[in-house]
Amino acid sequence: MKLYGVVGWKNAGKTGLMERLVTEITGRGITVSTVKHAHHRFDVDHPGKDSFRHRTAGASEVLLASASRVAVMQELRGAPEPPLADLLRRLTPVDLVLIEGYKRDAHPKIEAHRAVTGNPLIAPDDPTVRAVASDTALTLDLPVFDLDDTRAIADFILAEVGL
């Protein structure tokens, strides 16, 4: 599986870019999965649901299945967060995995940047960032795309990974 990341500071437009890239790339007949890193606690389950009750009773993993989807929830219960490489091994093979976050990992990335956030660019200090998608004109030694030019960004990423 080919890997490509989308990184950037909070409110830089990462999730919107990811969503548009998945739509654009799958629309070209390429299979895509995504991995999203969360810096905060999250829960995909809800109190009162059977699966929630299984987890709170102490189950290490709960697999929830229906005719439309399958979800596996694994409780770490104090164990360290699994590295990205371990998580990727759990995925069913696809053509491309788009990764939101994991900015310290070594896969190639594009940085989403919005000037209004006031945050500095990651790209100048990170050789794994191969391009920047921004809402403002930038002068860099890397390709710079308009943050809303999804087609051009997708073309760049697909060329980078050889798809």
Side-chain angles (χ1 to χ4, degrees):
M1 293 187 297
K2 308 290 187 174
L3 308 176
Y4 215 89
V6 174
V7 296
W9 300 109
K10 184 177 177 150
N11 297 320
K14 298 179 302 292
T15 301
L17 179 56
M18 286 279 292
E19 182 179 14
R20 293 189 311 274
L21 286 171
V22 170
T23 300
E24 175 70 27
I25 295 169
T26 58
R28 298 181 189 192
I30 296 169
T31 57
V32 177
S33 288
T34 66
V35 175
K36 159 79 172 116
H37 188 261
H39 291 283
H40 51 82
R41 294 181 59 99
F42 68 92
D43 206 335
V44 296
D45 211 358
H46 304 286
K49 296 294 184 182
D50 294 349
S51 52
F52 184 90
R53 293 170 62 190
H54 295 185
R55 284 189 314 125
T56 57
S60 295
E61 287 188 329
V62 175
L63 189 146
L64 184 60
S66 74
S68 58
R69 75 187 42 88
V70 174
V72 177
M73 293 170 280
Q74 182 182 40
E75 291 297 312
L76 295 179
R77 304 213 189 277
E81 179 180 340
L84 178 59
D86 290 355
L87 299 173
L88 292 169
R89 283 192 282 276
R90 297 179 186 186
L91 293 176
T92 301
V94 293
D95 299 320
L96 176 65
V97 178
L98 291 174
I99 301 163
E100 182 178 340
Y102 289 96
K103 66 177 153 265
R104 291 177 184 82
D105 284 78
H107 58 278
K109 303 166 189 79
I110 187 164
E111 179 177 356
H113 176 263
R114 282 199 176 122
V116 70
T117 66
N119 289 315
L121 286 167
I122 297 167
D125 299 318
D126 186 342
T128 66
V129 176
R130 307 278 176 86
V132 175
S134 181
D135 65 351
T136 189
L138 299 171
T139 303
L140 296 170
D141 291 335
L142 299 169
V144 177
F145 298 93
D146 183 293
L147 185 57
D148 293 322
D149 193 351
T150 307
R151 177 181 214 92
I153 296 167
D155 289 343
F156 176 80
I157 290 171
L158 294 174
E160 280 266 292
V161 299
L163 287 174

PDB file of all heavy atoms in Angstrom, residues 7-41:
ATOM      1  N   VAL A   7      -0.618  16.921   6.978  1.00  0.00           N
ATOM      2  CA  VAL A   7      -0.288  17.444   8.294  1.00  0.00           C
ATOM      3  C   VAL A   7      -0.574  18.941   8.332  1.00  0.00           C
ATOM      4  O   VAL A   7      -0.789  19.570   7.302  1.00  0.00           O
ATOM      5  CB  VAL A   7       1.193  17.176   8.671  1.00  0.00           C
ATOM      6  CG1 VAL A   7       1.472  15.683   8.779  1.00  0.00           C
ATOM      7  CG2 VAL A   7       2.142  17.840   7.689  1.00  0.00           C
ATOM      8  N   GLY A   8      -0.528  19.490   9.509  1.00  0.00           N
ATOM      9  CA  GLY A   8      -0.731  20.920   9.702  1.00  0.00           C
ATOM     10  C   GLY A   8      -1.195  21.145  11.122  1.00  0.00           C
ATOM     11  O   GLY A   8      -1.572  20.219  11.830  1.00  0.00           O
ATOM     12  N   TRP A   9      -1.160  22.404  11.524  1.00  0.00           N
ATOM     13  CA  TRP A   9      -1.593  22.757  12.864  1.00  0.00           C
ATOM     14  C   TRP A   9      -3.118  22.748  12.937  1.00  0.00           C
ATOM     15  O   TRP A   9      -3.801  22.685  11.913  1.00  0.00           O
ATOM     16  CB  TRP A   9      -1.032  24.124  13.253  1.00  0.00           C
ATOM     17  CG  TRP A   9       0.470  24.159  13.226  1.00  0.00           C
ATOM     18  CD1 TRP A   9       1.253  24.813  12.328  1.00  0.00           C
ATOM     19  CD2 TRP A   9       1.363  23.472  14.106  1.00  0.00           C
ATOM     20  NE1 TRP A   9       2.584  24.585  12.602  1.00  0.00           N
ATOM     21  CE2 TRP A   9       2.683  23.761  13.690  1.00  0.00           C
ATOM     22  CE3 TRP A   9       1.190  22.640  15.206  1.00  0.00           C
ATOM     23  CZ2 TRP A   9       3.813  23.269  14.327  1.00  0.00           C
ATOM     24  CZ3 TRP A   9       2.321  22.141  15.844  1.00  0.00           C
ATOM     25  CH2 TRP A   9       3.604  22.453  15.415  1.00  0.00           C
ATOM     26  N   LYS A  10      -3.641  22.862  14.135  1.00  0.00           N
ATOM     27  CA  LYS A  10      -5.087  22.887  14.356  1.00  0.00           C
ATOM     28  C   LYS A  10      -5.739  23.980  13.503  1.00  0.00           C
ATOM     29  O   LYS A  10      -5.207  25.082  13.376  1.00  0.00           O
ATOM     30  CB  LYS A  10      -5.370  23.132  15.841  1.00  0.00           C
ATOM     31  CG  LYS A  10      -6.832  23.085  16.183  1.00  0.00           C
ATOM     32  CD  LYS A  10      -7.045  23.252  17.670  1.00  0.00           C
ATOM     33  CE  LYS A  10      -8.530  23.273  17.917  1.00  0.00           C
ATOM     34  NZ  LYS A  10      -8.923  22.772  19.173  1.00  0.00           N
ATOM     35  N   ASN A  11      -6.874  23.660  12.924  1.00  0.00           N
ATOM     36  CA  ASN A  11      -7.675  24.575  12.083  1.00  0.00           C
ATOM     37  C   ASN A  11      -6.985  24.978  10.787  1.00  0.00           C
ATOM     38  O   ASN A  11      -7.344  25.993  10.189  1.00  0.00           O
ATOM     39  CB  ASN A  11      -8.098  25.821  12.869  1.00  0.00           C
ATOM     40  CG  ASN A  11      -8.996  25.483  14.034  1.00  0.00           C
ATOM     41  OD1 ASN A  11      -9.865  24.627  13.915  1.00  0.00           O
ATOM     42  ND2 ASN A  11      -8.776  26.123  15.159  1.00  0.00           N
ATOM     43  N   ALA A  12      -6.020  24.178  10.342  1.00  0.00           N
ATOM     44  CA  ALA A  12      -5.320  24.485   9.095  1.00  0.00           C
ATOM     45  C   ALA A  12      -6.053  23.965   7.864  1.00  0.00           C
ATOM     46  O   ALA A  12      -5.678  24.293   6.749  1.00  0.00           O
ATOM     47  CB  ALA A  12      -3.899  23.900   9.141  1.00  0.00           C
ATOM     48  N   GLY A  13      -7.060  23.123   8.050  1.00  0.00           N
ATOM     49  CA  GLY A  13      -7.806  22.590   6.918  1.00  0.00           C
ATOM     50  C   GLY A  13      -7.476  21.154   6.571  1.00  0.00           C
ATOM     51  O   GLY A  13      -7.807  20.680   5.482  1.00  0.00           O
ATOM     52  N   LYS A  14      -6.837  20.428   7.487  1.00  0.00           N
ATOM     53  CA  LYS A  14      -6.435  19.048   7.223  1.00  0.00           C
ATOM     54  C   LYS A  14      -7.618  18.135   6.912  1.00  0.00           C
ATOM     55  O   LYS A  14      -7.608  17.419   5.915  1.00  0.00           O
ATOM     56  CB  LYS A  14      -5.669  18.461   8.424  1.00  0.00           C
ATOM     57  CG  LYS A  14      -4.392  19.157   8.774  1.00  0.00           C
ATOM     58  CD  LYS A  14      -3.720  18.530   9.976  1.00  0.00           C
ATOM     59  CE  LYS A  14      -4.535  18.482  11.230  1.00  0.00           C
ATOM     60  NZ  LYS A  14      -4.824  19.785  11.857  1.00  0.00           N
ATOM     61  N   THR A  15      -8.630  18.161   7.758  1.00  0.00           N
ATOM     62  CA  THR A  15      -9.745  17.228   7.597  1.00  0.00           C
ATOM     63  C   THR A  15     -10.537  17.524   6.331  1.00  0.00           C
ATOM     64  O   THR A  15     -10.912  16.605   5.597  1.00  0.00           O
ATOM     65  CB  THR A  15     -10.650  17.245   8.840  1.00  0.00           C
ATOM     66  OG1 THR A  15      -9.855  16.882   9.975  1.00  0.00           O
ATOM     67  CG2 THR A  15     -11.809  16.270   8.692  1.00  0.00           C
ATOM     68  N   GLY A  16     -10.775  18.793   6.051  1.00  0.00           N
ATOM     69  CA  GLY A  16     -11.469  19.140   4.806  1.00  0.00           C
ATOM     70  C   GLY A  16     -10.680  18.696   3.590  1.00  0.00           C
ATOM     71  O   GLY A  16     -11.248  18.168   2.625  1.00  0.00           O
ATOM     72  N   LEU A  17      -9.358  18.897   3.621  1.00  0.00           N
ATOM     73  CA  LEU A  17      -8.520  18.449   2.515  1.00  0.00           C
ATOM     74  C   LEU A  17      -8.561  16.933   2.397  1.00  0.00           C
ATOM     75  O   LEU A  17      -8.697  16.399   1.288  1.00  0.00           O
ATOM     76  CB  LEU A  17      -7.080  18.947   2.698  1.00  0.00           C
ATOM     77  CG  LEU A  17      -6.088  18.528   1.618  1.00  0.00           C
ATOM     78  CD1 LEU A  17      -6.544  18.951   0.225  1.00  0.00           C
ATOM     79  CD2 LEU A  17      -4.697  19.089   1.938  1.00  0.00           C
ATOM     80  N   MET A  18      -8.463  16.236   3.512  1.00  0.00           N
ATOM     81  CA  MET A  18      -8.548  14.770   3.480  1.00  0.00           C
ATOM     82  C   MET A  18      -9.860  14.324   2.837  1.00  0.00           C
ATOM     83  O   MET A  18      -9.867  13.458   1.963  1.00  0.00           O
ATOM     84  CB  MET A  18      -8.463  14.194   4.905  1.00  0.00           C
ATOM     85  CG  MET A  18      -7.104  14.225   5.535  1.00  0.00           C
ATOM     86  SD  MET A  18      -6.034  12.881   5.016  1.00  0.00           S
ATOM     87  CE  MET A  18      -6.848  11.474   5.752  1.00  0.00           C
ATOM     88  N   GLU A  19     -10.952  14.903   3.263  1.00  0.00           N
ATOM     89  CA  GLU A  19     -12.271  14.528   2.741  1.00  0.00           C
ATOM     90  C   GLU A  19     -12.339  14.743   1.229  1.00  0.00           C
ATOM     91  O   GLU A  19     -12.799  13.880   0.485  1.00  0.00           O
ATOM     92  CB  GLU A  19     -13.334  15.353   3.457  1.00  0.00           C
ATOM     93  CG  GLU A  19     -14.738  15.030   3.039  1.00  0.00           C
ATOM     94  CD  GLU A  19     -15.767  15.865   3.791  1.00  0.00           C
ATOM     95  OE1 GLU A  19     -15.399  16.870   4.437  1.00  0.00           O
ATOM     96  OE2 GLU A  19     -16.946  15.501   3.709  1.00  0.00           O
ATOM     97  N   ARG A  20     -11.872  15.897   0.782  1.00  0.00           N
ATOM     98  CA  ARG A  20     -11.902  16.185  -0.653  1.00  0.00           C
ATOM     99  C   ARG A  20     -10.967  15.253  -1.429  1.00  0.00           C
ATOM    100  O   ARG A  20     -11.296  14.811  -2.533  1.00  0.00           O
ATOM    101  CB  ARG A  20     -11.526  17.651  -0.903  1.00  0.00           C
ATOM    102  CG  ARG A  20     -12.568  18.628  -0.373  1.00  0.00           C
ATOM    103  CD  ARG A  20     -12.319  20.065  -0.812  1.00  0.00           C
ATOM    104  NE  ARG A  20     -10.972  20.557  -0.622  1.00  0.00           N
ATOM    105  CZ  ARG A  20     -10.503  21.104   0.507  1.00  0.00           C
ATOM    106  NH1 ARG A  20     -11.286  21.221   1.565  1.00  0.00           N
ATOM    107  NH2 ARG A  20      -9.257  21.549   0.575  1.00  0.00           N
ATOM    108  N   LEU A  21      -9.798  14.937  -0.851  1.00  0.00           N
ATOM    109  CA  LEU A  21      -8.867  14.031  -1.528  1.00  0.00           C
ATOM    110  C   LEU A  21      -9.449  12.625  -1.653  1.00  0.00           C
ATOM    111  O   LEU A  21      -9.314  11.980  -2.700  1.00  0.00           O
ATOM    112  CB  LEU A  21      -7.527  13.980  -0.795  1.00  0.00           C
ATOM    113  CG  LEU A  21      -6.634  15.203  -0.956  1.00  0.00           C
ATOM    114  CD1 LEU A  21      -5.444  15.131  -0.003  1.00  0.00           C
ATOM    115  CD2 LEU A  21      -6.159  15.346  -2.404  1.00  0.00           C
ATOM    116  N   VAL A  22     -10.089  12.134  -0.606  1.00  0.00           N
ATOM    117  CA  VAL A  22     -10.702  10.804  -0.674  1.00  0.00           C
ATOM    118  C   VAL A  22     -11.755  10.784  -1.780  1.00  0.00           C
ATOM    119  O   VAL A  22     -11.785   9.861  -2.607  1.00  0.00           O
ATOM    120  CB  VAL A  22     -11.305  10.384   0.680  1.00  0.00           C
ATOM    121  CG1 VAL A  22     -12.144   9.115   0.534  1.00  0.00           C
ATOM    122  CG2 VAL A  22     -10.210  10.178   1.724  1.00  0.00           C
ATOM    123  N   THR A  23     -12.601  11.798  -1.838  1.00  0.00           N
ATOM    124  CA  THR A  23     -13.629  11.866  -2.878  1.00  0.00           C
ATOM    125  C   THR A  23     -13.001  11.912  -4.267  1.00  0.00           C
ATOM    126  O   THR A  23     -13.414  11.176  -5.180  1.00  0.00           O
ATOM    127  CB  THR A  23     -14.531  13.103  -2.658  1.00  0.00           C
ATOM    128  OG1 THR A  23     -15.156  12.985  -1.377  1.00  0.00           O
ATOM    129  CG2 THR A  23     -15.585  13.216  -3.734  1.00  0.00           C
ATOM    130  N   GLU A  24     -12.013  12.769  -4.447  1.00  0.00           N
ATOM    131  CA  GLU A  24     -11.351  12.933  -5.749  1.00  0.00           C
ATOM    132  C   GLU A  24     -10.640  11.648  -6.183  1.00  0.00           C
ATOM    133  O   GLU A  24     -10.792  11.195  -7.319  1.00  0.00           O
ATOM    134  CB  GLU A  24     -10.340  14.087  -5.681  1.00  0.00           C
ATOM    135  CG  GLU A  24      -9.500  14.272  -6.924  1.00  0.00           C
ATOM    136  CD  GLU A  24     -10.261  14.803  -8.132  1.00  0.00           C
ATOM    137  OE1 GLU A  24     -11.277  15.496  -7.967  1.00  0.00           O
ATOM    138  OE2 GLU A  24      -9.815  14.518  -9.264  1.00  0.00           O
ATOM    139  N   ILE A  25      -9.874  11.063  -5.288  1.00  0.00           N
ATOM    140  CA  ILE A  25      -9.048   9.907  -5.660  1.00  0.00           C
ATOM    141  C   ILE A  25      -9.889   8.652  -5.847  1.00  0.00           C
ATOM    142  O   ILE A  25      -9.682   7.900  -6.806  1.00  0.00           O
ATOM    143  CB  ILE A  25      -7.907   9.719  -4.638  1.00  0.00           C
ATOM    144  CG1 ILE A  25      -6.953  10.934  -4.722  1.00  0.00           C
ATOM    145  CG2 ILE A  25      -7.159   8.420  -4.879  1.00  0.00           C
ATOM    146  CD1 ILE A  25      -5.924  11.025  -3.604  1.00  0.00           C
ATOM    147  N   THR A  26     -10.869   8.426  -4.985  1.00  0.00           N
ATOM    148  CA  THR A  26     -11.732   7.251  -5.185  1.00  0.00           C
ATOM    149  C   THR A  26     -12.568   7.427  -6.446  1.00  0.00           C
ATOM    150  O   THR A  26     -12.894   6.448  -7.112  1.00  0.00           O
ATOM    151  CB  THR A  26     -12.646   6.978  -3.976  1.00  0.00           C
ATOM    152  OG1 THR A  26     -13.457   8.124  -3.712  1.00  0.00           O
ATOM    153  CG2 THR A  26     -11.822   6.615  -2.745  1.00  0.00           C
ATOM    154  N   GLY A  27     -12.890   8.669  -6.782  1.00  0.00           N
ATOM    155  CA  GLY A  27     -13.612   8.951  -8.019  1.00  0.00           C
ATOM    156  C   GLY A  27     -12.816   8.572  -9.259  1.00  0.00           C
ATOM    157  O   GLY A  27     -13.383   8.412 -10.341  1.00  0.00           O
ATOM    158  N   ARG A  28     -11.529   8.423  -9.115  1.00  0.00           N
ATOM    159  CA  ARG A  28     -10.668   7.996 -10.220  1.00  0.00           C
ATOM    160  C   ARG A  28     -10.490   6.475 -10.253  1.00  0.00           C
ATOM    161  O   ARG A  28      -9.691   5.953 -11.032  1.00  0.00           O
ATOM    162  CB  ARG A  28      -9.292   8.653 -10.093  1.00  0.00           C
ATOM    163  CG  ARG A  28      -9.339  10.169 -10.162  1.00  0.00           C
ATOM    164  CD  ARG A  28      -7.958  10.758 -10.053  1.00  0.00           C
ATOM    165  NE  ARG A  28      -8.005  12.212  -9.916  1.00  0.00           N
ATOM    166  CZ  ARG A  28      -6.943  12.984 -10.034  1.00  0.00           C
ATOM    167  NH1 ARG A  28      -5.750  12.465 -10.291  1.00  0.00           N
ATOM    168  NH2 ARG A  28      -7.060  14.287  -9.885  1.00  0.00           N
ATOM    169  N   GLY A  29     -11.201   5.781  -9.367  1.00  0.00           N
ATOM    170  CA  GLY A  29     -11.131   4.321  -9.360  1.00  0.00           C
ATOM    171  C   GLY A  29     -10.000   3.758  -8.519  1.00  0.00           C
ATOM    172  O   GLY A  29      -9.693   2.565  -8.600  1.00  0.00           O
ATOM    173  N   ILE A  30      -9.390   4.571  -7.690  1.00  0.00           N
ATOM    174  CA  ILE A  30      -8.286   4.141  -6.821  1.00  0.00           C
ATOM    175  C   ILE A  30      -8.864   3.887  -5.435  1.00  0.00           C
ATOM    176  O   ILE A  30      -9.628   4.714  -4.911  1.00  0.00           O
ATOM    177  CB  ILE A  30      -7.193   5.229  -6.780  1.00  0.00           C
ATOM    178  CG1 ILE A  30      -6.585   5.389  -8.175  1.00  0.00           C
ATOM    179  CG2 ILE A  30      -6.131   4.912  -5.747  1.00  0.00           C
ATOM    180  CD1 ILE A  30      -5.684   6.603  -8.334  1.00  0.00           C
ATOM    181  N   THR A  31      -8.509   2.759  -4.826  1.00  0.00           N
ATOM    182  CA  THR A  31      -9.023   2.455  -3.492  1.00  0.00           C
ATOM    183  C   THR A  31      -8.197   3.203  -2.448  1.00  0.00           C
ATOM    184  O   THR A  31      -6.972   3.280  -2.532  1.00  0.00           O
ATOM    185  CB  THR A  31      -9.006   0.945  -3.199  1.00  0.00           C
ATOM    186  OG1 THR A  31      -7.674   0.443  -3.353  1.00  0.00           O
ATOM    187  CG2 THR A  31      -9.955   0.198  -4.128  1.00  0.00           C
ATOM    188  N   VAL A  32      -8.911   3.749  -1.469  1.00  0.00           N
ATOM    189  CA  VAL A  32      -8.286   4.587  -0.439  1.00  0.00           C
ATOM    190  C   VAL A  32      -8.817   4.193   0.932  1.00  0.00           C
ATOM    191  O   VAL A  32     -10.014   3.968   1.104  1.00  0.00           O
ATOM    192  CB  VAL A  32      -8.606   6.087  -0.674  1.00  0.00           C
ATOM    193  CG1 VAL A  32      -8.024   6.957   0.433  1.00  0.00           C
ATOM    194  CG2 VAL A  32      -8.099   6.547  -2.039  1.00  0.00           C
ATOM    195  N   SER A  33      -7.918   4.125   1.906  1.00  0.00           N
ATOM    196  CA  SER A  33      -8.293   4.047   3.313  1.00  0.00           C
ATOM    197  C   SER A  33      -7.642   5.233   4.002  1.00  0.00           C
ATOM    198  O   SER A  33      -6.716   5.843   3.459  1.00  0.00           O
ATOM    199  CB  SER A  33      -7.820   2.737   3.953  1.00  0.00           C
ATOM    200  OG  SER A  33      -8.587   1.657   3.486  1.00  0.00           O
ATOM    201  N   THR A  34      -8.120   5.552   5.188  1.00  0.00           N
ATOM    202  CA  THR A  34      -7.545   6.672   5.925  1.00  0.00           C
ATOM    203  C   THR A  34      -7.194   6.265   7.342  1.00  0.00           C
ATOM    204  O   THR A  34      -7.796   5.350   7.912  1.00  0.00           O
ATOM    205  CB  THR A  34      -8.508   7.883   5.986  1.00  0.00           C
ATOM    206  OG1 THR A  34      -9.655   7.540   6.743  1.00  0.00           O
ATOM    207  CG2 THR A  34      -8.905   8.357   4.597  1.00  0.00           C
ATOM    208  N   VAL A  35      -6.219   6.964   7.895  1.00  0.00           N
ATOM    209  CA  VAL A  35      -5.856   6.849   9.307  1.00  0.00           C
ATOM    210  C   VAL A  35      -5.840   8.269   9.844  1.00  0.00           C
ATOM    211  O   VAL A  35      -5.266   9.166   9.224  1.00  0.00           O
ATOM    212  CB  VAL A  35      -4.464   6.202   9.486  1.00  0.00           C
ATOM    213  CG1 VAL A  35      -4.042   6.211  10.948  1.00  0.00           C
ATOM    214  CG2 VAL A  35      -4.443   4.783   8.934  1.00  0.00           C
ATOM    215  N   LYS A  36      -6.469   8.489  10.972  1.00  0.00           N
ATOM    216  CA  LYS A  36      -6.543   9.818  11.592  1.00  0.00           C
ATOM    217  C   LYS A  36      -6.000   9.717  13.003  1.00  0.00           C
ATOM    218  O   LYS A  36      -6.456   8.895  13.787  1.00  0.00           O
ATOM    219  CB  LYS A  36      -8.000  10.288  11.608  1.00  0.00           C
ATOM    220  CG  LYS A  36      -8.342  11.372  12.605  1.00  0.00           C
ATOM    221  CD  LYS A  36      -7.939  12.738  12.138  1.00  0.00           C
ATOM    222  CE  LYS A  36      -8.468  13.833  13.051  1.00  0.00           C
ATOM    223  NZ  LYS A  36      -7.459  14.586  13.719  1.00  0.00           N
ATOM    224  N   HIS A  37      -5.021  10.545  13.327  1.00  0.00           N
ATOM    225  CA  HIS A  37      -4.499  10.580  14.695  1.00  0.00           C
ATOM    226  C   HIS A  37      -5.269  11.615  15.493  1.00  0.00           C
ATOM    227  O   HIS A  37      -5.511  12.721  15.022  1.00  0.00           O
ATOM    228  CB  HIS A  37      -3.010  10.937  14.713  1.00  0.00           C
ATOM    229  CG  HIS A  37      -2.419  10.783  16.065  1.00  0.00           C
ATOM    230  ND1 HIS A  37      -2.225  11.845  16.913  1.00  0.00           N
ATOM    231  CD2 HIS A  37      -2.013   9.679  16.732  1.00  0.00           C
ATOM    232  CE1 HIS A  37      -1.707  11.401  18.040  1.00  0.00           C
ATOM    233  NE2 HIS A  37      -1.574  10.094  17.958  1.00  0.00           N
ATOM    234  N   ALA A  38      -5.668  11.245  16.686  1.00  0.00           N
ATOM    235  CA  ALA A  38      -6.353  12.164  17.591  1.00  0.00           C
ATOM    236  C   ALA A  38      -5.444  12.436  18.782  1.00  0.00           C
ATOM    237  O   ALA A  38      -4.866  11.508  19.351  1.00  0.00           O
ATOM    238  CB  ALA A  38      -7.671  11.558  18.064  1.00  0.00           C
ATOM    239  N   HIS A  39      -5.308  13.696  19.145  1.00  0.00           N
ATOM    240  CA  HIS A  39      -4.462  14.064  20.282  1.00  0.00           C
ATOM    241  C   HIS A  39      -5.266  14.094  21.577  1.00  0.00           C
ATOM    242  O   HIS A  39      -4.733  14.430  22.620  1.00  0.00           O
ATOM    243  CB  HIS A  39      -3.829  15.447  20.044  1.00  0.00           C
ATOM    244  CG  HIS A  39      -2.817  15.421  18.962  1.00  0.00           C
ATOM    245  ND1 HIS A  39      -1.549  14.923  19.138  1.00  0.00           N
ATOM    246  CD2 HIS A  39      -2.885  15.808  17.674  1.00  0.00           C
ATOM    247  CE1 HIS A  39      -0.874  15.020  18.008  1.00  0.00           C
ATOM    248  NE2 HIS A  39      -1.672  15.550  17.102  1.00  0.00           N
ATOM    249  N   HIS A  40      -6.508  13.765  21.504  1.00  0.00           N
ATOM    250  CA  HIS A  40      -7.381  13.816  22.672  1.00  0.00           C
ATOM    251  C   HIS A  40      -8.100  12.484  22.805  1.00  0.00           C
ATOM    252  O   HIS A  40      -8.097  11.660  21.904  1.00  0.00           O
ATOM    253  CB  HIS A  40      -8.398  14.951  22.517  1.00  0.00           C
ATOM    254  CG  HIS A  40      -9.115  14.904  21.196  1.00  0.00           C
ATOM    255  ND1 HIS A  40     -10.196  14.097  20.960  1.00  0.00           N
ATOM    256  CD2 HIS A  40      -8.861  15.531  20.025  1.00  0.00           C
ATOM    257  CE1 HIS A  40     -10.601  14.238  19.707  1.00  0.00           C
ATOM    258  NE2 HIS A  40      -9.802  15.109  19.119  1.00  0.00           N
ATOM    259  N   ARG A  41      -8.707  12.291  23.944  1.00  0.00           N
ATOM    260  CA  ARG A  41      -9.510  11.083  24.136  1.00  0.00           C
ATOM    261  C   ARG A  41     -10.728  11.165  23.224  1.00  0.00           C
ATOM    262  O   ARG A  41     -11.285  12.228  23.014  1.00  0.00           O
ATOM    263  CB  ARG A  41      -9.957  10.969  25.590  1.00  0.00           C
ATOM    264  CG  ARG A  41      -8.806  10.739  26.550  1.00  0.00           C
ATOM    265  CD  ARG A  41      -9.308  10.620  27.975  1.00  0.00           C
ATOM    266  NE  ARG A  41     -10.242   9.531  28.110  1.00  0.00           N
ATOM    267  CZ  ARG A  41      -9.940   8.312  28.574  1.00  0.00           C
ATOM    268  NH1 ARG A  41      -8.722   8.067  28.931  1.00  0.00           N
ATOM    269  NH2 ARG A  41     -10.858   7.379  28.680  1.00  0.00           N
TER     270      ARG A  41
END
